[in-house]
């Protein structure tokens, strides 16, 4: 049984006022979606402010990225220890914007994934193909390479606590959502890789989120697929109504 996870990646959006308002709005309505795990990932500048605005509500807090070292001369970076220290439980790693805008490699993402486990953070490890790769029939190979690369050396015990996210790059911020068949095919393949690399029990535990233009009107269909266990939401996570509507569409705990 996998509890749906609905995660908001706020990216580099909001300001101190709107971040607090958004967090308070989600916190106030979290009880409307029982059986769904809610998570918000604000910009790092607003993590503590959002933590305080969430208060005791059942809404998790996550970072959008981090460096793999604990501390030191790494100007501009935020460490796993810092995220844990301010009360974040999760961290998004290997997001396509980190890969393609900032040049992160599978090896970088692997170091970060290991560092997240070491700091007691739950990594949400993202994979996803470019449009050219899909058009060239390379989707499965790209996803396998990213899966292997990001998770090198990760044990079964560790992966059982992690979350995977499939975000086709061409669907992010474009309004061009993957079809349920396209998404489910990749999710099922990721589940198969988890079974092959680890075991069936672990594969049945790990949640695999879909991300890329998830909106209230397409969420139900996507989240109804057997291997889609939640959503990683960009634009629609900045509106309380849309975020909660997507959470509601996940239908709560499924068998
Ligand atoms: P959009 O929902 O805005 O397409 O963004 C998806 C995403 O990148 C979430 O991490």
């Amino acid at each position: 049984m996998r509890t749906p996870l609905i995660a908001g990646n706020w990216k580099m959006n909001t300001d101190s006022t709107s971040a607090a308002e958004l967090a308070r709005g989600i916190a106030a309505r979290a009880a409307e979606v029982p059986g769904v795990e809610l998570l918000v990932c604000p910009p790092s500048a607003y993590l503590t402010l959002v933590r305080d605005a969430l208060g005791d509500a059942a809404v998790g807090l996550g970072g959008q990225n981090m460096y793999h070292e604990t501390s030191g001369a790494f100007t501009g970076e935020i460490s796993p220890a810092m995220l844990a220290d301010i009360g974040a439980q999760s961290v998004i790693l290997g997001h396509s914007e980190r890969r393609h805008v900032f040049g992160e490699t599978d090896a970088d993402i692997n170091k970060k994934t290991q560092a997240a486990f070491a700091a007691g953070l739950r990594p949400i490890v993202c994979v996803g193909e470019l449009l050219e790769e899909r058009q060239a029939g390379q989707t499965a190979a790209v996803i396998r390479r990213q899966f292997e690369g990001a998770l090198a050396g990760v044990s079964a015990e560790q992966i059982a606590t992690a979350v995977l996210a499939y975000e086709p790059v061409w669907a992010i911020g474009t309004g061009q959502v993957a079809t349920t068949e396209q998404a489910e095919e990749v999710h099922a393949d990721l589940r198969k890789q988890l079974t092959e690399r680890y075991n069936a029990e672990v594969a049945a535990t790990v949640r695999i989120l879909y991300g890329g233009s998830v909106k209230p009107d397409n969420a139900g269909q996507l989240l109804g697929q057997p291997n889609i266990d939640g959503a990683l939401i960009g634009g629609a996570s900045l509106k309380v109504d849309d975020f909660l509507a997507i959470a509601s569409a996940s239908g709560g705990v499924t068998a």
Side-chain angles (χ1 to χ4, degrees), residues 1 8 11 14-15 20 29 32 39 44 56 63 73 108 125-126 131-132 148 150 191 200 204 210 238:
M1 191 157 70
K11 306 192 180 182
T14 69
D15 56 23
R29 294 182 51 193
E32 290 176 19
L39 171 70
S44 46
D56 297 336
D108 295 329
V125 179
C126 302
L131 183 58
E132 306 88 271
E148 289 294 333
R191 186 93 55 209
Y210 169 79
L238 298 170

Side-chain angles (χ1 to χ4, degrees), residues 94-158:
H95 188 278
S96 85
E97 287 142 24
R98 299 299 320 171
R99 291 176 185 268
H100 301 296
V101 183
F102 301 100
E104 285 188 13
T105 63
D106 288 329
D108 295 329
I109 296 157
N110 181 243
K111 281 190 210 151
K112 294 181 182 207
T113 303
Q114 299 278 8
F117 289 126
L121 293 169
R122 174 179 65 177
I124 299 173
V125 179
C126 302
V127 296
E129 82 287 2
L130 297 165
L131 183 58
E132 306 88 271
E133 292 168 336
R134 174 162 285 273
Q135 287 170 339
Q138 295 166 350
T139 300
V142 168
I143 302 298
R144 282 188 173 250
R145 191 195 67 224
Q146 293 176 343
F147 175 93
E148 289 294 333
L151 301 179
V154 170
S155 70
E157 290 71 32
Q158 288 173 321

Side-chain angles (χ1 to χ4, degrees), residues 67 71-76:
Y67 194 54
S71 64
F74 303 105
T75 301

Side-chain angles (χ1 to χ4, degrees), residues 45-111:
Y46 303 136
L47 275 164
T48 51
L49 171 159
V50 166
R51 174 199 64 197
D52 294 345
L54 291 172
D56 297 336
V59 182
L61 183 69
Q64 298 177 7
N65 176 42
M66 61 178 206
Y67 194 54
H68 65 272
E69 296 282 359
T70 303
S71 64
F74 303 105
T75 301
E77 293 294 332
I78 178 169
S79 78
M82 290 171 186
L83 284 174
D85 180 41
I86 59 91
Q89 310 88 21
S90 303
V91 60
I92 299 170
L93 296 177
H95 188 278
S96 85
E97 287 142 24
R98 299 299 320 171
R99 291 176 185 268
H100 301 296
V101 183
F102 301 100
E104 285 188 13
T105 63
D106 288 329
D108 295 329
I109 296 157
N110 181 243
K111 281 190 210 151

